[in-house]
Amino acid sequence: MPTNTPLDDAPEPPIAPTPLLGGAGFFALVAGFVAGLILYLPWDTVWQHVLKRLAAAHSPVRIAWQDLDRAGPLSFRINGLTVEGPGWPVSPRVQWLDVRLGMSPLLTLKADTGGRMLRLVFLDTGDFDIEGSANLACLGRRDILGSVDLRAEGRFLRGKDELEKGFIDLSGKALQLPGGLWLGDTALSLEYRDGGLRIRSFSLRAPVQVRAAGTADLHPGALLASPYSVSGEILRGKETLSFTAEGALGDFLGDTALPE
C-alpha cells in the first residue's frame, strides 16, 4: 500500500545559475576600463601628433614649439611656441601656452608672453573675450619694446572663420616702436563692425600730447596694406594744432620681420 512522502523530504527545484556580473556590474567594469584607458594614455604623445597635423595643415605658416607637458584628455601646455609667416612683419612667440578644451567655454587659452599674462575664452556661440597684459617682446622684434594692457571682446559668425564684430582697448606706459620712436602714456581704442575698423580714440602724452580718431578699410587678404585715415589735435602748452594723416597699417611695422 503506497505511503505519502513528507513535504520536508520533497526534492528541491534546481537553482538557476547566477550570472557573474549583473547589469550594474558590467557597466562599472566598462566604465572602469574606459577611465583607466583615458587616464593612462600617453596624452603628451597624442597631442604632439595632433599639433603636428594642425601645423602641417597651415603651411606655409611655420608653427614650432620646444616641447609639450601637463597633458591630459582635454588640456596641455605648449612651451616655447613660435609662429612665422612669409612676409609677416612680426613673428609671435610665447614662453608657454595653456590650452583647455570643454563644453562651455569651448576653449580657454592662457599665455605667458614674457612675464605678462593673457587669457582668451571662446564660447560655442562664436563670442570671445581677451584680457590681460602682453610684453611686446612676444612680437619677435628687437625694435618693439614695452608692455600693454589689453581688453577685447568680439564674435565670429557661426560656422565661418569670419569676424562679425569686436573691439579692442590697448594702453601702455612706455613703448618703443620701429625707428626709435618712444611713446609715453598711450591709449588706443578700436572697434570692428561691418568689415570696417574705426579708431574710436587715440591719446598720447609724451613726447607730445595727441588726441585723435579715424577709420581703416580692412583688406582681409592683405591686412598690412589696408588704408587708414586719422585726424586729431596736437597740444603744445596752450596751443592746439590740428592734423590729418593717411597711410597703410603696415607702415607702423615695416615690410619684414627682424631677427630676434
Side-chain angles (χ1 to χ4, degrees):
M1 182 175 181
T3 58
N4 293 330
T5 302
L7 293 178
D8 291 343
D9 295 336
E12 296 183 359
I15 300 175
T18 303
L20 294 177
L21 289 175
F26 179 75
F27 176 79
L29 178 63
V30 172
F33 174 76
V34 172
L37 185 64
I38 291 175
L39 290 174
Y40 291 102
L41 271 178
W43 287 105
D44 52 346
T45 303
V46 172
W47 286 117
Q48 283 274 15
H49 179 69
V50 171
L51 290 174
K52 286 179 180 179
R53 289 179 63 91
L54 288 175
H58 286 81
S59 178
V61 174
R62 180 177 178 271
I63 304 174
W65 57 93
Q66 293 175 358
D67 57 48
L68 186 149
D69 60 16
R70 303 190 182 187
L74 296 174
S75 64
F76 55 91
R77 171 176 287 192
I78 309 172
N79 298 304
L81 177 66
T82 62
V83 183
E84 299 176 347
W88 286 17
V90 294
S91 54
R93 56 198 61 204
V94 296
Q95 292 189 2
W96 52 258
L97 177 70
D98 269 342
V99 180
R100 294 185 179 276
L101 307 174
M103 296 296 291
S104 182
L106 283 180
L107 175 67
T108 302
L109 302 177
K110 186 176 181 181
D112 181 349
T113 63
R116 302 286 182 173
M117 302 294 177
L118 277 177
R119 183 184 66 91
L120 177 146
V121 175
F122 184 77
L123 305 177
D124 59 352
T125 58
D127 294 275
F128 68 89
D129 92 42
I130 307 172
E131 189 171 10
S133 300
N135 186 335
L136 295 182
C138 73
L139 297 177
R141 294 189 52 153
R142 297 175 180 175
D143 55 353
I144 301 179
L145 300 173
S147 64
V148 295
D149 294 326
L150 183 152
R151 178 81 175 93
E153 290 183 5
R155 176 186 298 164
F156 285 94
L157 293 173
R158 300 195 69 172
K160 297 182 179 180
D161 187 17
E162 182 180 342
L163 185 63
E164 178 183 0
K165 63 179 180 179
F167 77 85
I168 181 171
D169 293 332
L170 299 167
S171 62
K173 292 294 183 182
L175 309 177
Q176 178 183 307
L177 299 183
L181 179 62
W182 179 84
L183 305 178
D185 289 334
T186 306
L188 175 64
S189 180
L190 305 173
E191 181 181 17
Y192 176 85
R193 187 182 294 271
D194 299 326
L197 183 67
R198 183 166 67 95
I199 305 170
R200 296 193 298 185
S201 65
F202 171 75
S203 63
L204 174 67
R205 289 187 177 275
V208 295
Q209 294 188 55
V210 178
R211 293 195 301 255
T215 59
D217 183 14
L218 297 184
H219 298 166
L223 189 61
L224 297 178
S226 301
Y228 73 88
S229 176
V230 173
S231 61
E233 299 175 334
I234 300 175
L235 287 73
R236 294 179 177 175
K238 296 183 179 180
E239 186 179 6
T240 300
L241 302 175
S242 299
F243 75 92
T244 59
E246 297 180 348
L249 294 180
D251 295 341
F252 293 102
L253 299 176
D255 296 327
T256 59
L258 298 178
E260 183 181 8

